């Protein structure tokens, strides 16, 4: 890749390299070896729309299981938030989320948030927060985006047979001078049911419920509505359990966070249904989300937690991913940050709680008595990685889509530039074979094996099921840089032809990397490597205050320098693309990218994002993606474009915040104040 290359760096990292002509080392884009969603999930948007119309909208489900009255909108399909959250049973939910949004700026650990967002007043110029008023807006509501079988969570409560989750995305629909406009926003609400209520423990078996779910087949479409609804009849044995919310509370644009290219915070809450207390949702602790602030201020409590974690039985459960930390150590709120995944300190609530030498001594003592060792934890680095990924903050930024693991495919009619073609993250799809094996074991009356790999990398037991995908050890997968030289980490290697590159170097995770092409010349490959460090005050690294420095400016051996700009955009590491669709290699397809005028357009008063996308985008060759061939972490798979060179059924990989529905800022002025760059 030398002669005939015309390339240049531009001032923003997503489009870091433009190439006119080039020869590539190609790889085959593989098809699935097995049905990923069989028995585990319903994700087809047309099918979900039909199911929603048959009594599975959020208002209808709350009415059915909680006796919560609903005032349905026209057609009975969707209840407006102004009606939904007027119900007293949901008062704690709406009040707590409103309080969280109101305090998000002041509670952030990132100083640039306070420097950017004013302390008070309606900030028309730099509006970056998700507005509190949207939660009760008459033009907003919830759209059923997925139904997920989580019977694999029965290890927490075997009598419940696990969970069934209905996942809803926040949507709005308004009238503008240019016609009706709608979009989704970065907020999900999971309505979680226990698969079996206590009243049915004697009359309905987990085996029967599992057998019924195994009737769900991969690739079910709108024509399978009757079959899907028949399977869902077993929900008559279920019980309302809890509501889980995940919301992007704010997003700083590139000009305010130039090192990472952007900064976003996501807030997670859990509200449990308390039937005994007059049918109310009450605030609950989050599973394995330690209260770092409390623990940092209480050394004896930290010591008790460490002693508990390192007991042999608990260490083994931690290794298997089935540990349940006692409530006294846990928090009721989790914050995750993007981009950067595991490299960001804000995604690791365990950071700084324990001394590394102490961890090493305790782990070595256990391994000395257990020669067979553990499956995932082999040293302090993998122990810390496991601690991070059992937390809500860590898990939701591990092989995720900027804070989410399930986002749902957009329904028909949305432009590809603002539509999602893959329902979930790489973690979601790579974990489905494990979940299905558990449902299958239940259906056959066998004892399930609940153990799981890291959130970012499945166990070898799932390798065969994922062999003809990129999800296990393929391009974009998480890997260990020393896998080829240390048998302990052999299960974290990349497949042949790929290299393990540590893209964001940190002190805690110096060997955790990403599988990229061996040549470094495939579309989608990163174009630079960086180091993530903590800001220091009086020599002490500050938790949640990260900075990103490019260490390898040019992985591809071009002489040009990378010049960061205050108005840069995109994510760290960049991605390789072609400037047009003339010569597209097999790993790519033709899609659209925004030009320099898009930001100016969207910041205008009363701007329509659909019009701005139509008028300010150009075609380019980008990494192709689908559920079996996901994007790299922090990137998202768009819809398929209509273009002679576009590959049918393939989306394109772009930074998540280039997709309008995944940013809280910049939506129509009649629904949200406009955003204007300085």
């Amino acid at each position: 890749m030398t002669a005939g290359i015309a390339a240049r760096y531009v001032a923003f990292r997503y489009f870091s390299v433009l190439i006119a002509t080039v020869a590539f080392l190609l790889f085959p884009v593989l098809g699935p070896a097995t049905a990923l969603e069989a028995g585990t999930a319903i994700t087809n948007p047309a099918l979900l729309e039909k199911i929603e119309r048959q009594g599975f909208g959020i208002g209808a489900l709350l009415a059915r299981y909680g006796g919560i009255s609903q005032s349905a909108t026209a057609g009975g399909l969707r209840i407006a938030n102004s009606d939904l959250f007027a119900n007293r049973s949901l008062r704690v939910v709406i009040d707590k989320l409103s309080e969280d949004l109101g305090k998000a700026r002041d509670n952030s650990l990132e100083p640039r948030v306070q420097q950017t967002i004013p302390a008070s007043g309606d900030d028309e110029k730099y509006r970056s927060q998700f507005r509190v008023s949207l939660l009760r807006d008459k033009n907003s509501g919830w759209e059923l985006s997925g139904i997920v079988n989580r019977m694999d969570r029965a290890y927490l409560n075997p009598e419940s047979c696990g969970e069934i989750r209905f996942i809803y995305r926040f949507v709005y629909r308004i009238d503008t001078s240019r016609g009706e406009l709608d979009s989704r926003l970065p907020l999900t609400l999971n309505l979680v049911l226990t698969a079996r209520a206590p009243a049915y423990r004697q009359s309905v078996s987990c085996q029967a419920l599992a057998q019924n779910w195994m009737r769900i087949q991969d690739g079910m479409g709108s024509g399978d509505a009757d079959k899907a609804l028949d399977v869902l009849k077993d929900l008559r044995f279920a019980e309302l359990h809890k509501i889980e919310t995940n919301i992007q509370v704010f997003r700083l644009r590139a000009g305010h966070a130039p090192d990472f290219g952007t900064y976003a915070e996501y807030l997670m809450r859990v509200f449990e249904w308390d039937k005994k207390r007059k049918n109310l949702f009450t605030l609950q602790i989050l599973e394995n989300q330690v209260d770092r602030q409390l623990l940092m201020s209480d050394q004896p409590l930290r010591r008790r937690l460490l002693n508990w974690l390192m007991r042999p039985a608990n260490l083994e459960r931690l290794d298997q991913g089935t540990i349940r930390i006692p409530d006294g150590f846990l928090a009721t709120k989790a914050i995750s940050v993007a981009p950067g995944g595991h490299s960001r300190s804000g995604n690791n609530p365990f950071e700084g709680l324990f001394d590394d030498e102490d961890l090493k001594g305790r782990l070595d003592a256990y391994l000395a008595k257990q020669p067979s060792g553990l499956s995932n934890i082999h040293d302090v680095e993998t122990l810390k990685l496991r601690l991070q990924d059992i937390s809500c903050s860590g898990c939701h930024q591990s092989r995720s889509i900027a804070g989410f693991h399930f986002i749902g495919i957009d329904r028909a009619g949305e432009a590809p530039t603002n539509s999602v073609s893959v329902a979930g993250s790489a973690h979601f799809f790579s974990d489905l074979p494990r979940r299905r094996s558990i449902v299958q074991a239940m259906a056959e009356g066998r004892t399930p094996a609940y153990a799981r790999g890291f959130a970012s990398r499945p166990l070898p037991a799932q390798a065969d099921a994922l062999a003809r995908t990129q999800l296990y050890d393929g391009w974009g997968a998480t890997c260990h840089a020393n896998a080829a030289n240390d048998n302990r980490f052999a299960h974290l290697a990349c497949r042949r032809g790929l290299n393990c590159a540590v893209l964001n170097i940190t002190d805690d995770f110096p060997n955790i990397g990403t599988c990229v092409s061996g040549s470094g010349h495939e579309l989608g490959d990163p174009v630079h490597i960086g180091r993530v460090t903590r800001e220091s005050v009086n020599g002490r690294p500050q938790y949640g205050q990260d900075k990103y420095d490019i260490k390898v400016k040019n992985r591809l051996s071009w002489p040009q320098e990378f010049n960061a700009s205050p108005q840069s955009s995109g994510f760290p590491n960049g991605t390789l693309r072609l400037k047009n669709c003339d010569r597209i290699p097999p790993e790519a397809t033709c899609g659209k990218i925004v030009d320099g005028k898009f930001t100016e357009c969207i910041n205008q008063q009363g701007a329509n994002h659909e019009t701005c996308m139509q008028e300010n985008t150009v075609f380019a060759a980008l990494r192709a993606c689908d559920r079996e061939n996901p994007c790299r972490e922090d990137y998202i798979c768009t819809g398929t474009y209509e273009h002679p060179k576009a590959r049918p059924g393939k989306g394109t990989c772009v930074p998540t915040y280039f997709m309008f529905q995944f940013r809280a800022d910049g939506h129509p002025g009649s629904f949200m104040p406009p955003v204007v760059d300085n």
Side-chain angles (χ1 to χ4, degrees), residues 123-193:
D123 173 32
E124 292 288 339
K125 186 176 183 182
Y126 298 125
R127 171 61 67 183
S128 301
Q129 291 185 264
F130 194 109
R131 292 182 67 201
V132 175
S133 60
L134 301 186
L135 296 176
R136 293 185 172 93
D137 196 287
K138 66 179 181 179
N139 295 305
S140 68
W142 303 91
E143 178 179 279
L144 180 61
S145 297
I147 303 173
V148 181
N149 178 2
R150 294 305 309 269
M151 296 182 77
D152 62 288
R153 287 178 53 78
Y155 70 88
L156 293 170
N157 179 11
E159 294 298 321
S160 71
C161 305
E163 301 169 350
I164 308 299
R165 300 185 174 200
F166 286 77
I167 303 175
Y168 298 87
R169 281 283 304 274
F170 185 96
V171 297
Y172 70 81
R173 180 176 293 115
I174 60 172
D175 293 323
T176 71
S177 59
R178 300 187 181 185
E180 188 179 81
L181 181 67
D182 58 48
S183 181
R184 304 194 291 180
L185 286 179
L187 169 56
T188 60
L189 186 152
N190 300 348
L191 195 61
V192 182
L193 310 176

Side-chain angles (χ1 to χ4, degrees), residues 249-569:
V249 292
F250 50 72
R251 187 189 76 90
L252 302 187
R253 297 180 304 286
H256 302 130
D259 54 344
F260 282 97
T262 187
Y263 177 81
E265 285 190 12
Y266 297 81
L267 181 143
M268 288 166 274
R269 290 283 195 185
V270 174
F271 304 90
E272 189 171 52
W273 179 244
D274 193 342
K275 189 175 182 179
K276 295 180 180 179
R277 296 179 60 187
K278 299 180 181 179
N279 291 349
L280 294 172
F281 283 100
T282 58
L283 187 65
Q284 293 298 311
I285 55 94
L286 281 78
E287 184 179 318
N288 294 333
Q289 180 72 23
V290 294
D291 189 332
R292 187 178 186 279
Q293 184 175 1
L294 172 64
L295 289 163
M296 288 298 291
S297 66
D298 191 332
Q299 195 276 335
L301 188 64
R302 288 202 306 277
R303 178 60 54 175
R304 288 201 296 273
L305 173 59
L306 180 59
N307 290 339
W308 185 88
L309 285 169
M310 300 307 290
R311 292 174 187 170
N314 291 337
L315 181 58
E316 290 161 8
R317 293 188 187 98
L318 177 64
D319 179 66
Q320 295 171 2
T322 58
I323 197 168
R324 180 63 166 82
I325 297 175
D327 291 359
F329 300 107
L330 304 180
T332 60
K333 179 177 72 172
I335 296 289
S336 75
V337 303
H342 70 270
S343 70
R344 304 301 296 267
S345 61
N347 295 329
N348 188 4
F350 287 91
E351 181 172 298
L353 294 183
F354 312 127
D355 178 74
D356 282 6
E357 289 301 316
D358 194 359
L359 289 175
K360 183 178 186 303
R362 290 170 182 251
L363 180 60
D364 288 348
Y366 170 86
L367 294 175
K369 296 178 181 179
Q370 301 289 337
S372 59
L374 299 168
S375 297
N376 296 290
I377 299 172
H378 306 293
D379 60 3
V380 172
E381 183 177 14
T382 48
L383 172 58
K384 292 163 76 171
L385 185 64
R386 174 57 103 193
L387 286 172
Q388 182 188 54
D389 86 1
I390 65 168
S391 72
C392 298
S393 298
C395 180
H396 276 264
Q397 295 291 344
S398 297
R399 289 295 276 148
S400 69
I401 303 173
F404 296 99
H405 281 308
F406 194 95
I407 52 180
I409 302 170
D410 279 275
R411 295 179 180 179
E414 188 67 52
T417 47
N418 194 42
S419 67
V420 179
S421 62
V422 175
S425 67
H427 160 75
F428 172 77
F429 283 108
S430 66
D431 195 42
L432 291 185
R434 181 191 69 89
R435 299 180 190 180
R436 186 176 60 254
S437 70
I438 292 171
V439 179
Q440 183 69 47
M442 288 183 173
E444 296 173 358
R446 295 182 286 110
T447 300
Y450 290 106
R452 66 173 179 86
F454 292 111
S456 57
R457 178 76 181 237
L459 285 172
Q462 279 77 59
D464 287 346
L466 299 171
R468 292 190 59 79
T469 77
Q470 302 288 338
L471 290 164
Y472 177 66
D473 58 357
W475 188 90
T478 296
C479 55
H480 194 284
N482 206 29
N485 304 314
D486 192 328
N487 286 335
R488 295 178 301 168
F489 309 113
H491 64 291
L492 299 176
C494 300
R495 67 178 51 164
R496 184 177 299 178
L498 300 178
N499 287 336
C500 184
V502 182
L503 303 183
N504 297 321
I505 305 166
T506 68
D507 291 338
D508 284 336
F509 305 113
N511 295 295
I512 305 303
T514 300
C515 296
V516 299
S517 75
S519 68
H521 299 164
E522 290 180 358
L523 296 199
D525 276 343
V527 294
H528 55 80
I529 290 173
R531 181 169 183 83
V532 179
T533 57
R534 315 287 178 253
E535 296 285 357
S536 293
V537 176
N538 298 324
R540 298 182 61 182
Q542 300 298 297
Y543 176 77
Q545 299 181 25
D546 305 329
K547 57 182 180 180
Y548 177 83
D549 298 305
I550 297 172
K551 292 301 181 185
V552 181
K553 296 183 179 180
N554 196 344
R555 293 188 64 244
L556 304 177
S557 301
W558 277 300
Q560 292 90 340
E561 291 291 308
F562 172 85
N563 298 308
S565 163
Q567 296 301 321
S568 68
S569 56

